[in-house]
Amino acid sequence: METDAASRIPRHIAIVMDGNGRWAERRHLPRAIGHREGQKAVRAAVEYCRRRGVEALTLFAFSSENWKRPEGEVGALMQLFLKALDREVGELHANGVRIEFVGDLSAFAPELSSRMHAAMERTRENSALRLNVAVNYGGRWDIANAARSLAQAAARGEIAAEAIDESLFAQHACLAGQPPVDLFIRTGGELRVSNFLLWQIAYAELHFTDALWPDVDADVLDAALAEYARRERRYGLTSAQLRVTG
């Protein structure tokens, strides 16, 4: 189990990108400016993970609860998504990044939804980094959606109810077929997971930082990975058992 240096790099990192609004407010700027600055941090995080050999990066961009925010802020976020897709997809594709949007995409305007699907199709053969962008996503929605899919398959006679186990369930949840999340990072100083990847982070190491998302750079991410490398991942075993199996 995870004894060499390479194994100390997480295969899959998930990040709750919190603090854009507060970053702007502290500077007496509109919250939309904070979200725009946060896009720069996204580019830096993607490049960092690609450079360090991380296989998958999942970013919590827009939760199912974010629709409750002021209408003007939500509208500004949608416009930022559109502009980011126009501006970033070509470079991501050139760098071998595969983009996947996870969540209930049916809630978005057709223009935005079609661009999301076009970006996924354009980059689906890339393998340098799997970039999952969670939009209109909630962990409870994900679990309920997977349970519904399994129930429908059982009702059609495609699977037996007694055949449903953790492995089969995982195949119906978001991020199926990807490495399990090793490292969960939340920025902005809050100490909660906020309904993000509830199934997928069952054995993830949790790292919380006070840095607001627009301020997250290689130094902040280095600190998170250094802490991850120091932790002993036992998966239910004892330390002594780890030493024997290692």
Side-chain angles (χ1 to χ4, degrees):
M1 288 214 178
E2 299 183 318
T3 55
D4 56 54
S7 69
R8 305 310 295 163
I9 298 295
R11 296 178 65 196
H12 191 162
I13 298 174
I15 305 179
V16 176
M17 306 178 293
D18 195 15
N20 288 340
R22 281 175 287 157
W23 183 93
E25 289 168 354
R26 290 178 184 180
R27 291 160 176 78
H28 307 289
L29 297 169
R31 290 174 61 88
I33 299 296
H35 294 303
R36 195 165 65 195
E37 289 297 311
Q39 288 188 346
K40 298 177 183 178
V42 168
R43 288 196 293 272
V46 169
E47 174 55 30
Y48 178 91
C49 288
R50 196 174 66 87
R51 189 174 66 250
R52 295 298 303 271
V54 175
E55 295 179 34
L57 170 65
T58 301
L59 301 175
F60 205 4
F62 191 84
S63 76
S64 50
E65 289 82 12
N66 285 157
W67 293 109
K68 302 172 186 176
R69 291 190 174 189
E71 184 177 346
E73 183 174 349
V74 172
L77 280 169
M78 295 302 106
Q79 288 302 311
L80 279 173
F81 281 153
L82 282 170
K83 291 178 181 177
L85 283 169
D86 289 340
R87 183 176 59 248
E88 307 290 351
V89 172
E91 183 176 352
L92 291 170
H93 181 50
N95 285 293
V97 177
R98 177 177 177 178
I99 306 168
E100 184 167 343
F101 293 95
V102 295
D104 183 3
L105 305 188
S106 66
F108 294 103
E111 181 184 15
L112 180 53
S113 179
S114 65
R115 293 196 202 183
M116 289 178 182
H117 284 97
M120 290 189 284
E121 177 62 24
R122 183 179 181 185
T123 62
R124 66 186 177 90
E125 300 297 330
N126 295 340
S127 59
L129 173 69
R130 189 80 168 261
L131 174 61
N132 306 298
V133 183
V135 288
N136 195 29
Y137 174 90
R140 290 179 175 176
W141 167 87
D142 191 0
I143 291 170
N145 199 50
R148 185 184 308 110
S149 176
L150 287 164
Q152 291 169 342
R156 292 191 298 266
E158 296 172 0
I159 58 172
E162 56 269 21
I164 299 174
D165 57 12
E166 292 183 16
S167 177
L168 185 58
F169 188 95
Q171 294 174 33
H172 288 256
C174 289
L175 310 185
Q178 299 189 42
V181 176
D182 295 312
L183 175 61
F184 172 102
I185 301 172
R186 181 173 185 139
T187 67
E190 303 291 352
L191 306 177
R192 55 180 179 268
V193 298
S194 291
N195 196 24
F196 185 41
L197 300 179
L198 299 180
W199 175 267
Q200 295 86 348
I201 64 171
Y203 281 98
E205 298 296 324
L206 307 183
H207 175 85
F208 299 96
T209 174
D210 290 332
L212 302 177
W213 178 246
D215 293 327
V216 171
D217 56 13
D219 289 340
V220 175
L221 296 173
D222 277 343
L225 264 64
E227 182 179 328
Y228 171 85
R230 289 193 295 269
R231 295 186 186 178
E232 184 178 70
R233 310 194 73 204
R234 296 193 296 272
Y235 300 100
L237 302 178
T238 67
S239 297
Q241 287 176 304
L242 276 183
R243 287 192 290 272
V244 170
T245 58

